[in-house]
Amino acid sequence: MMPVSAFADGIIYNVNGMTLDEDGRVVRFNAMIVGSDGRVVKIFNMGRRDRLPEGMEWRADMEGRTLLPGMIDAHGHVMGLGFQLSHLDLVGTQSLSEAQAKIAQWGADNSAKWIVGGGWNQEIWGLGRFPTAQELDAVTGDRPTVLERVDGHAMWVNSAALEAAGITRDTPDPAGGRIERDAAGNPSGVLVDAAMALVSGKVPQPTPREANAAFLAAQRYLLTQGVTATADMGTTVDDWLLYRRMGDLGLLDIRIMSYGSGVETALAVGGQGPTPWLYRDRLRMGGIKLYADGALGSRGAWLKADYADAPGQRGLGFLSDDQLGNLMVRGAMDNFQIAVHAIGDRANQQVLDVIDELSDTYDGDRRWRIEHAQIVDPADLPRFGKHGIIASMQPVHQTSDMHMAEARLGPDRLAGAYAWKSMLENGATLAFGSDFPVEAPQPFVGWAVAVSRQDADMLPFGGWQPQQIITREQAWAAYTIGAAYAGFAEDKFGRLAPGLRADFIIVDRDPLNVSTSQLRGTRVLETWIDGQRVWKAGEEAAE
Ligand SMILES: [Zn+2]
């Protein structure tokens, strides 16, 4: 039964409830009272013969199903997910003609000036060549269209897009890129690597209306996965205005812990420090996102020694020690939390060095965050336990990257790679996320990976670098209480206890009592925020 009123005490009962307490211990319960303010009043065990408490305005019989606190994604990109979801997706198309039909349909259903999307693969289509601009023109007409190849290294464009970018037979291939050409030397409709920028820079910025729709798509997807709160790593001013717009309209369901994209953004939004929590603890800009290096796959991660598969290359630090230090000081002076992206072992060392240096002056409860902390020199691992550092990591990156990481690093430099257990053993706080849309925001998949170091096929046997496997409770904590703590939100959400927000999910199995592969397949049935159901499987969102 649904709540009759948003502002009345209610009881949820006959439920297989579980949460962690603030020390990470499992607490089980079968009933929960939710206050009119959307906070938990109490969780308790009701005997079979006990009567339901008096004075409840609403009651919900959960028929024995399993209830957990809402999951938190400690590192995601909300609008990145939104635009990915609202763009044309050609993943899974089996032929050029199937793709063309899908493009035509998308064009008819959407009013965007440009058709933007991706996911095609001419190998799967059995084409034996790249598709052409003319094959796109046939279904798009003169509406400019850009469609990335599934690997992100090529772009299929139509004649209108070539024209908008001024690409002709006279345009030379840019450094690091190639314009595919027909026998006569005319651009044929595919741009490779650096040549993609010739067109991608011309794609118009989304209108506010398009951005609204993208946000709502992202929010809905997150709710379907049981994610009730997320960090937004690198919020722009436009993103912030959009989140405020959604909050003002009463459309902001999910909780967003926002980290401004750079110091200037955080100062533009927050003025002299973090914003207050807004819209009943749904939105706050509390920190600043910075970058120390790039990614491992493209050899942009900054390493202490050469890439095993590219002698002479070590990647590149984005900032000098002084530059990084200055940015961190500017943020820390105004009490913004600092979150620095660091993938390679040299980049992690740099951030640790700067934190060491700043911690004397900027002491107190800083919760310095290192985002990804993917490849760490074992000699540096103990340093994560100092100064209250948070290791914000993404379990699914481990299974996506493991073969690539072995190639980039060689077999002898993997001891500190995706080293969740070492982080805990050294005293760091672990916060888990997905880096969506890089990986899908599916916390139960990440949870299963964290306790197995295995992919969807349960490979490799026994797990990759299995000494870094952590317990089911530890991984759960990283997706709940750890992720909340990482966002200075542990007194608001992350577990179910009196005074905390009644954010919870109903799932189809008991994740503490199933096999790892079953854990991975956990399905979310309902998602509740502030004691109100905001999504139910098989239904549109409740009002
Ligand atoms: Zn990210």
Side-chain angles (χ1 to χ4, degrees), residues 228-350:
T228 55
T230 183
D232 189 44
M233 276 295 158
T235 308
T236 65
V237 171
D238 281 347
D239 295 342
W240 179 260
L241 292 175
L242 168 57
Y243 303 154
R244 292 293 310 256
R245 202 151 72 223
M246 292 293 120
D248 291 343
L249 293 169
L251 296 173
L252 182 63
D253 288 327
I254 198 162
R255 302 189 194 280
I256 298 177
M257 300 175 280
S258 161
Y259 292 77
S261 172
V263 175
E264 305 304 331
T265 302
L267 290 176
V269 168
Q272 54 193 17
T275 70
W277 283 98
L278 303 166
Y279 314 111
R280 308 210 306 165
D281 299 338
R282 304 274 170 105
L283 179 64
R284 174 182 184 250
M285 185 177 284
I288 297 173
K289 169 80 181 298
L290 301 172
Y291 285 86
D293 68 345
L296 197 61
S298 53
R299 298 190 188 84
W302 189 21
L303 300 181
K304 289 186 175 185
D306 289 1
Y307 277 90
D309 56 359
Q313 286 185 40
R314 294 187 176 190
L316 207 62
F318 287 180
L319 302 165
S320 70
D321 291 0
D322 281 349
Q323 287 171 323
L324 178 61
N326 286 339
L327 290 173
M328 289 172 68
V329 163
R330 283 184 63 199
M333 276 191 333
D334 286 326
N335 292 310
F336 284 105
Q337 189 187 11
I338 308 294
V340 189
H341 164 119
I343 303 262
D345 52 9
R346 183 65 185 85
N348 276 277
Q349 181 196 23
Q350 181 189 39

Side-chain angles (χ1 to χ4, degrees), residues 75 77 289 372 435:
H75 182 125
H77 305 275
K289 169 80 181 298
H372 311 304
D435 200 9

Side-chain angles (χ1 to χ4, degrees), residues 39-158:
R39 294 190 172 90
V40 176
V41 174
K42 73 170 182 172
I43 57 171
F44 60 109
N45 279 299
M46 209 166 74
R48 212 173 267 276
R49 288 152 174 264
D50 292 350
R51 305 259 298 270
L52 289 172
E54 299 289 320
M56 294 294 119
E57 294 281 333
W58 57 271
R59 36 190 72 180
D61 180 352
M62 288 300 179
E63 297 168 333
R65 291 179 304 172
T66 295
L67 181 153
L68 313 171
M71 302 294 264
I72 304 173
D73 196 307
H75 182 125
H77 305 275
V78 174
M79 294 313 297
L81 177 64
F83 289 121
Q84 186 187 70
L85 290 169
S86 49
H87 288 160
L88 168 60
D89 180 11
L90 296 174
V91 168
T93 51
Q94 298 298 312
S95 66
L96 174 61
S97 58
E98 186 191 341
Q100 285 173 311
K102 211 166 170 184
I103 296 161
Q105 187 61 50
W106 196 93
D109 293 343
N110 292 273
S111 61
K113 278 207 184 86
W114 284 52
I115 298 175
V116 179
W120 56 274
N121 183 346
Q122 84 283 1
E123 302 292 332
I124 292 176
W125 295 346
L127 211 53
R129 59 167 173 83
F130 277 133
T132 67
Q134 288 73 33
E135 285 161 341
L136 203 43
D137 294 345
V139 287
T140 60
D142 55 8
R143 197 165 160 196
T145 301
V146 297
L147 301 168
E148 265 192 27
R149 193 175 185 276
V150 67
D151 62 0
H153 284 280
M155 195 177 262
W156 181 20
V157 298
N158 67 359

